[in-house]
Amino acid sequence: MKNTLLGQQLDSLLTNETNFIANLANTSALIFESFPNINWAGFYLYEHQNNELILGPFQGKVACMHIAIGKGVCGTAFKEGKDIVVDNVLEFPGHIACDAASRSEIVVPLIKNGKKLGVLDIDSPSENRFTKDDRLTLNSLVEILLDHCN
């Protein structure tokens, strides 16, 4: 979806930059500023030596730093290799409450050339915040991001 305004903005923002961390930082900032009614947007990165997700660049309140694979929404999305939308996090078994104000969440795995790198995680203080269009947009943004990273 590079043809959407947000996709074009991200593509332009990341042009000529291949540093993974720098690109994650600017991507989280663009998402945080562009999506209404969210309270956290950022990344958890896979750390092979400890087999866990570790906090990466983000925008929002302080966050959990370590997430076990298969635990919470982020760990589950990473393990399954597919995005997850949770309309009410209080109903998600094993939800990890980093911010008690969060009520809905969307997580999109970062997978490049078949290798799982981490996840994009976005939280909202409202239930049912994330739509099918949000899911498509965020998957597209992840694709653009990964195209710009080595």
Side-chain angles (χ1 to χ4, degrees):
M1 287 190 165
K2 282 187 183 180
N3 56 349
T4 67
L5 180 59
L6 193 56
Q8 290 171 358
Q9 288 174 319
L10 182 61
D11 191 48
S12 178
L13 182 65
L14 304 182
T15 295
N16 297 322
E17 182 55 66
T18 58
N19 182 276
F20 192 52
I21 298 299
N23 285 344
L24 293 175
N26 269 335
T27 300
S28 65
L30 180 65
I31 290 170
F32 193 75
E33 294 299 323
S34 300
F35 279 76
N37 197 24
I38 63 172
N39 58 344
W40 202 89
F43 297 92
Y44 282 92
L45 303 176
Y46 181 61
E47 189 174 78
H48 182 73
Q49 60 270 31
N50 293 323
N51 192 37
E52 67 179 0
L53 295 171
I54 187 87
L55 181 64
F58 71 94
Q59 299 285 310
K61 293 182 180 180
V62 296
C64 302
M65 290 191 276
H66 301 267
I67 297 177
I69 304 305
K71 302 295 181 187
V73 183
C74 289
T76 301
F78 181 84
K79 181 178 180 182
E80 295 177 1
K82 64 180 185 178
D83 48 292
I84 297 176
V85 176
V86 179
D87 292 330
N88 181 348
V89 296
L90 301 177
E91 296 175 356
F92 188 88
H95 175 256
I96 300 168
C98 297
D99 180 356
S102 293
R103 288 294 172 264
S104 60
E105 184 171 4
I106 185 169
V107 178
V108 179
L110 307 176
I111 303 171
K112 184 165 182 162
N113 300 325
K115 183 178 179 184
K116 295 179 188 176
L117 304 174
V119 297
L120 165 63
D121 179 27
I122 303 174
D123 296 344
S124 170
S126 300
E127 288 184 23
N128 301 301
R129 161 59 187 88
F130 301 103
T131 66
K132 181 180 178 183
D133 285 342
D134 291 333
R135 188 179 213 160
L136 293 171
T137 298
L138 292 167
N139 272 282
S140 175
L141 294 178
V142 163
E143 192 175 306
I144 294 165
L145 164 68
L146 293 175
D147 282 348
H148 284 278
C149 297
N150 290 336

